[in-house]
Amino acid sequence: MFKKLFGRKAAVPGKAESDDHRVQLAPTEPLDVLIAQGNALEDAGDVRAAADVYEDVVRRAPDYWRGFLNLGNALRLLGRMEEAASRYRQAIALEPSSPAGHLNLANVLLASGENGPAAESYRNALRHRPGWADAWFGLGGALDRDETRMEAIDAFERALDADPGHGMAPARLARALVKNGGFASARAVIASALAREPGNSHALAARGSLEQDSGDSVAAAQTWRTVVTADPANWETWSSYLFALNFIVGVDNETILAEHRRFEEQLTSSVTPMRPAIPSNGGKRLRIGYVSADFRRHSVSCFIEGLLRHHDHANFEVYCYYNHASLDEITARLRALSDHWCDIAGVDDDAVAQRIADDGIDILVDLGGHTTGNRLPVFARKPAPLQFTWLGYLCTTGLDSIDYRICDAITDPVGITERWQVETPARLPGAQWCYQPQVALPDVTRLPMLDNGYWTFGSFNQSSKLNVELLHTWAGIIAAFPESRMRFVGVTDPILRERILAAFSAHAVSPDRIDIEGRIPIDAYFAAHADIDIAFDSFPYNGATTTCDALVMGVPVVTVLGDRAISRGAMSLLTNLDMADWVAPSPDALSDLLKHHLRDPERVAGIRAGLRSRMQGSSLMDAERFTREMESIFRGAWRQRCPG
């Protein structure tokens, strides 16, 4: 099936495809000549030199608003967002009727997470230029939150009305519609955009996301491969494509490695590595930089907080580089745990790499791999002497510039998985996760089976992991347990819902034995475990956060063991709880394994009653021990690389 595959750069919300809305002038006046020189330097990639030119312009002419506008553009590209906003405000003060000034200020505010002020600035731009598609598009990005989603949808639609050929508006409109439950409308928007412009990479990337969210990662991978074939420098869609390969049953390790290598070849051919030297002091206080788009309410935060909280700051100076515009209470908590915080959302890769080099980072740690919001192009520039990848992606990044991949001996058995990754495995002595739930947990409840008289199985896995083969395996298990029920949580796409029902119907399981629920608030999500006897883990892409969530709520998890790290994550977690006997060697063996464990409900009830304390007493929740082990890996790698 997968052989058929072989025979998005996503926009920063509010950033138009044009060149930051420069006001272009014929270079007839001396100041205009300087502005043109600065523009040429920007286009050549020398943004620092361009900023120096624009600084010269505003020094010579402090009432020349175009100088401040261009200086703001350069400062934004350099990641100096507050300074950029200040310069835009100066331009607006000198020329209040300039829509470009208002829009560029809005773009910076939005990239900095200031949605409300950004929305007002976009509206100011529209007052001076009512039919401006880019301003409507930006306003949609600023309003794309739960409480203002309908307004965001209206703004994106107005952007398309003003410019039916707007490249990014259909994708953003579709995404907003999906968040609002409008899957059919989203698909119609994308189909219309592609009928008008078949090669629209943004619309194609959005179609791939819709396909993956419906459980069809094969189609998603095909779509995303089409995009990167046409645009090999579309790094975000490359990551979407590589990520999708891990979800597909039957894709072998050789193929996955080869495709990651193709990505690496494309990326490294376009950048110049910085490669700073490693100092000879093996015992120095190390500067550790963590790069993530997930320092917020996200599964990654469940595993990074304990490490940040327990770092030995006398020997490790912690920097966090945050690649997302949204801020919440978890962001504030993680920021307080770091020594230095830097917002890098919307900042040019070269500028981020230079900032990391200027900060003197010794060890730079990628927390995303090929997941959404990664900054792997920064790592390709090698701004730190040593670079690691960990946590978000249990697979190779494909980048030679990343030296180590943090893992453990169960996900990555010694002598076996080295051949499937570019990085050198750095194995922790226990599991590679240290879990901390982000909310207060409800009490563990009595085993539902004792009151119901039948078993209730559950899946809390993300929709993209629910492939057809997996659904048929689970359906066969439900059919084998009389009166049993199956509950899905987090399924929102009607197409996936129909696929689930069709798979279970094929095994003569009636719809009244299947409960399918959409996304629910985090408190309700944990409370929902009270109704589940046994949780199913997904394969070939195992869960991590959902597995830990179930276990800490007293729900045993069954999984299928695969042949690579991403398919062995649950095995690692369960082994650290002395529950390796809940791991089946193959999908076909899963039903017999469950029949063995579930023959004695009282025994399962005892396991449920003790699981939370077992979790809390294990290495999986011992943050201090985990941090010392991580620091030992960092220090050992540093000393090994130190000259002499």
Side-chain angles (χ1 to χ4, degrees), residues 78 145 192 205 248 303 330 352 372 397 457 522 573 580 597 639:
L78 292 170
R145 295 170 289 169
S192 176
I248 302 173
F303 301 98
I330 293 175
V352 174
T372 301
T397 63
F457 302 94
I522 187 70
L573 293 167
H597 281 299
R639 284 180 170 152

Side-chain angles (χ1 to χ4, degrees), residues 8 14 50 282 389 588:
R8 90 194 156 210
T389 184
D588 292 339

Side-chain angles (χ1 to χ4, degrees), residues 519-527:
R519 293 189 181 93
I520 54 179
I522 187 70
D523 291 337
Y525 160 79
F526 277 105

Side-chain angles (χ1 to χ4, degrees), residues 44-233:
D46 195 346
V47 181
R48 286 174 181 263
D52 290 340
V53 171
Y54 302 141
E55 289 278 13
D56 186 35
V57 171
V58 300
R59 276 194 301 269
R60 294 188 190 192
D63 58 349
Y64 185 56
W65 72 276
R66 294 185 180 93
F68 287 102
L69 185 72
N70 281 272
L71 178 55
N73 292 343
L75 292 171
R76 183 194 62 77
L77 290 172
L78 292 170
R80 295 155 62 180
M81 296 301 195
E82 291 184 8
E83 295 175 73
S86 175
R87 296 299 181 264
Y88 288 139
R89 289 189 175 100
Q90 287 175 281
I92 291 168
L94 292 167
E95 183 54 66
S97 63
S98 165
H102 291 291
L103 185 133
N104 285 3
L105 173 60
N107 289 344
V108 168
L109 293 171
L110 186 58
S112 302
E114 299 182 54
N115 291 59
E120 183 57 31
S121 289
Y122 286 124
R123 290 189 175 102
N124 287 336
L126 288 164
R127 288 187 187 100
H128 298 291
R129 187 174 169 184
W132 199 4
D134 290 341
W136 281 116
F137 175 78
L139 180 60
L143 296 172
D144 196 3
R145 295 170 289 169
D146 292 343
E147 62 272 22
T148 53
R149 179 124 321 115
M150 291 306 298
E151 295 176 68
I153 289 171
D154 177 69
F156 289 133
E157 288 174 340
R158 285 174 179 262
L160 275 176
D161 288 341
D163 179 9
H166 195 287
M168 293 181 283
R172 286 303 308 270
L173 173 57
R175 192 169 82 181
L177 288 166
V178 164
K179 290 177 182 176
N180 211 45
F183 286 89
S185 297
R187 290 187 168 93
V189 166
I190 295 304
S192 176
L194 291 174
R196 182 173 53 249
E197 184 187 353
N200 183 330
S201 61
H202 302 290
L204 284 168
R207 189 179 78 183
S209 295
L210 285 165
E211 291 164 339
Q212 187 170 49
D213 288 345
S214 72
D216 192 352
S217 291
V218 172
Q222 290 172 328
T223 297
W224 285 325
R225 185 177 171 89
T226 298
V227 175
V228 299
T229 299
D231 180 10

Side-chain angles (χ1 to χ4, degrees), residues 394-470:
L394 273 68
C395 186
T396 184
T397 63
L399 295 183
D400 284 320
S401 59
I402 296 184
D403 304 282
Y404 296 98
R405 189 174 71 82
I406 295 172
C407 56
D408 61 54
I410 297 173
T411 60
D412 292 75
V414 176
I416 297 176
T417 56
E418 284 86 352
R419 75 190 74 165
W420 308 130
Q421 55 193 292
V422 173
E423 309 86 355
T424 298
R427 296 180 176 89
L428 286 157
Q432 61 184 289
W433 298 277
C434 186
Y435 169 75
Q436 176 180 318
Q438 296 298 327
V439 297
L441 299 175
D443 293 336
V444 174
T445 59
R446 172 180 161 91
L447 186 74
M449 197 277 179
L450 298 180
D451 298 317
N452 296 333
Y454 56 81
W455 294 102
T456 302
F457 302 94
S459 165
F460 297 89
N461 303 282
Q462 61 177 271
S463 296
S464 53
K465 295 182 178 180
L466 304 181
N467 59 75
V468 171
E469 293 86 350
L470 170 150

